[in-house]
Amino acid sequence: MKADAGQGRQTVLIVVSTYPRWPGDGEPGFVHELARRLVDKYRVVVLAPNAPGAKRRENMDDVEIWRYRYAPRRWETLVHGGGMLQQLRKSPWKWLLLPTFAAGQVFAVIRALRRVRPALIHAHWSIPQGVLVAIARELSFSRVPLGVTSHGADVMGLSGSFFSLMRRWLRRQCAFWTVVGPALAERLVRERVGRSAGDFPVIPMGADLFSRFTREGEPHARDINQVLYVGRLVPGKGLDVLVDAMKLLRQRHPDAQLLLVGDGPLKQALKERITDLDLDGSVQFAGPLDNAALPPVYRRARAHAAPFTAPQGFGLTLIESVGCGCPVVTTPFSAARNIGIDSPMVEIVDAGDVPALANALSDRLDGEPAEWQMESAIATLRDRYDWGVVAEDYRAQYRMALREAGA
């Protein structure tokens, strides 16, 4: 095992694709939120792809960020703005960037192995990051332990025998492999990547449930007419179902409004559907918001709709929403059944069932859950999903991998 001689801490190299490009960026920041909570025990170096407007090297919250080049700067757009799979679907020419992206990441990992001499590598997303890191280790004859975390699309979005074989090969290279939701563990077992779900510890990303995603703060009163959606505007999120449900909902609540927070390739199609249903004055697009801007949005809404129509990795926005006292209506495709909270703070309806979604949202607009129900749900979440708990779960995986490497 190698130690960071400068600060007496072992170095963890975190390899990602999606990562905030600058402070306040609207890109998902959950990996950074984890990384910055590990710096008390480790020197944390994040290796991420470059993007227009981003710095090649910077320090953010004591996390060292190194960004590698893989194309001319203005073309380095493969992973941001909806994720890699959505970028490839939206702009087929970006398939040409995949070879240079893969080569850039492999060489960046090899270079980092020499320069920072990490004790452990943690790759977020099994494909491509986990596989590319494993290849880089082989090429550099490194035995640094590798851990992988699957977030959803790397398992659910990449199906078929070819990708299953890649994941089986990767499993043999890993010291640990965590998943953010139980559906991912079940899928990996079906693919024979592991023998049982226990081979893939479920550790979701966390939320700051004590100081950020809380009921305390502005605004103090909820808008009794507002329905909220937070997430990417991409297939599988049930956005078409939600818009259709809003049409029914307004028959019972004529003043009901829908706020869509996020961005993605379905935005234009949604706008056209909204116009067709004569809902232009009832639906607002807020665009992507960074983590710090979300709590007031959750506190203002009367109900949070997460009507997923395809399996999700976890659905962290459900945790954030309930933490702020906003009830959630979702489907079995989220991890709602596993988070330990029942109705009325979390209600599950059948995926794709427009009337059921509209009725559940109507019930939420009719009245808030009791105070004790809110507080009980929030206490449960804090015990399981606050970043303090989640970060310690990842530290435990790190300690196990490092002990095994030392042995």
Side-chain angles (χ1 to χ4, degrees):
M1 297 183 294
K2 303 296 183 182
D4 174 34
Q7 300 187 40
R9 296 174 296 170
Q10 292 174 302
T11 298
V12 172
L13 178 66
I14 295 179
V15 184
V16 299
S17 54
T18 301
Y19 201 79
R21 294 163 291 183
W22 45 76
D25 188 11
E27 287 293 312
F30 47 82
V31 178
H32 177 70
E33 291 297 318
L34 172 62
R36 74 184 187 88
R37 287 170 172 84
L38 299 172
V39 296
D40 60 333
K41 301 294 183 181
Y42 303 96
R43 176 194 177 195
V44 179
V45 178
V46 170
L47 193 63
N50 193 43
K55 295 179 180 178
R56 292 289 307 284
R57 298 282 177 91
E58 67 178 319
N59 188 300
M60 195 185 302
D61 298 318
D62 294 326
V63 177
E64 299 174 47
I65 303 166
W66 297 14
R67 295 187 176 89
Y68 62 87
R69 302 294 305 275
Y70 63 93
R73 181 175 289 271
R74 64 191 181 93
W75 291 352
E76 291 178 323
T77 56
L78 181 59
V79 298
H80 299 95
M84 186 181 296
L85 291 179
Q86 295 305 321
Q87 286 289 342
L88 292 172
R89 293 185 183 120
K90 183 175 67 174
S91 304
W93 71 267
K94 291 185 180 180
W95 284 92
L96 298 173
L97 295 175
L98 284 179
T100 58
F101 177 88
Q105 187 168 110
V106 167
F107 288 121
V109 171
I110 292 172
R111 187 164 54 247
L113 284 168
R114 291 198 303 264
R115 293 186 178 181
V116 305
R117 302 176 69 80
L120 174 74
I121 306 175
H122 187 180
H124 286 265
W125 291 276
S126 57
I127 301 173
Q129 274 69 243
V131 169
L132 294 176
V133 170
I135 291 171
R137 287 169 71 243
E138 292 294 319
L139 292 175
S140 57
F141 305 100
S142 171
R143 298 274 71 87
V144 174
L146 167 63
V148 169
T149 294
S150 285
H151 291 274
D154 59 322
V155 175
M156 300 299 191
L158 298 173
S159 58
S161 58
F162 174 72
F163 292 112
S164 294
L165 286 171
M166 290 179 69
R167 284 188 280 267
R168 287 178 212 160
W169 175 79
L170 176 61
R171 184 67 185 91
R172 295 193 292 271
Q173 319 300 316
C174 290
F176 66 82
W177 188 327
T178 67
V179 294
V180 299
L184 298 176
E186 294 165 4
R187 174 68 171 271
L188 290 169
V189 172
R190 287 198 301 272
E191 291 185 341
R192 293 183 289 119
V193 178
R195 290 172 295 180
S196 69
D199 292 335
F200 306 99
V202 178
I203 311 178
M205 294 292 100
D208 188 345
L209 296 169
F210 282 95
S211 60
R212 175 171 290 179
F213 294 102
T214 70
R215 295 175 63 198
E216 293 75 37
E218 297 289 343
H220 299 298
R222 296 190 182 277
D223 183 340
I224 63 172
N225 297 308
Q226 187 169 100
V227 176
L228 173 67
Y229 167 84
V230 179
R232 288 175 170 171
L233 309 183
V234 296
K237 301 295 186 179
L239 291 161
D240 53 341
V241 179
L242 177 55
V243 171
D244 289 352
M246 283 299 298
K247 184 68 174 180
L248 293 182
L249 179 62
R250 283 179 60 83
Q251 294 175 9
R252 293 174 59 180
H253 294 272
D255 295 325
Q257 300 283 316
L258 173 62
L259 180 66
L260 298 171
V261 176
D263 204 354
L266 291 185
K267 185 174 183 179
Q268 186 56 41
L270 285 171
K271 286 184 174 181
E272 293 171 2
R273 181 63 175 162
I274 289 164
T275 299
D276 291 343
L277 295 175
D278 195 25
L279 292 174
D280 287 307
S282 307
V283 182
Q284 178 184 356
F285 290 83
L289 298 177
D290 66 35
N291 208 248
L294 284 174
V297 177
Y298 289 126
R299 294 187 196 115
R300 184 178 298 111
R302 191 65 169 254
H304 175 192
F308 306 135
T309 54
Q312 306 295 309
F314 185 69
L316 190 60
T317 58
L318 279 63
I319 304 299
E320 297 171 347
S321 181
V322 175
C324 292
C326 180
V328 171
V329 179
T330 187
T331 74
F333 284 122
S334 74
R337 296 190 191 279
N338 303 98
I339 65 176
I341 297 175
D342 298 320
S343 184
M345 288 306 292
V346 176
E347 183 169 354
I348 300 174
V349 300
D350 289 338
D353 192 330
V354 173
L357 178 59
N359 289 336
L361 292 174
S362 178
D363 291 343
R364 301 285 79 76
L365 297 189
D366 284 336
E368 286 190 307
E371 181 76 14
W372 70 268
Q373 291 170 319
M374 289 190 190
E375 288 303 318
S376 175
I378 292 169
T380 298
L381 294 184
R382 286 175 172 173
D383 288 343
R384 299 183 181 187
Y385 304 111
D386 181 73
W387 267 121
V389 176
V390 171
E392 181 53 36
D393 287 344
Y394 277 101
R395 290 191 199 100
Q397 293 293 321
Y398 288 7
R399 289 193 295 268
M400 177 190 68
L402 292 169
R403 280 197 302 269
E404 292 178 356

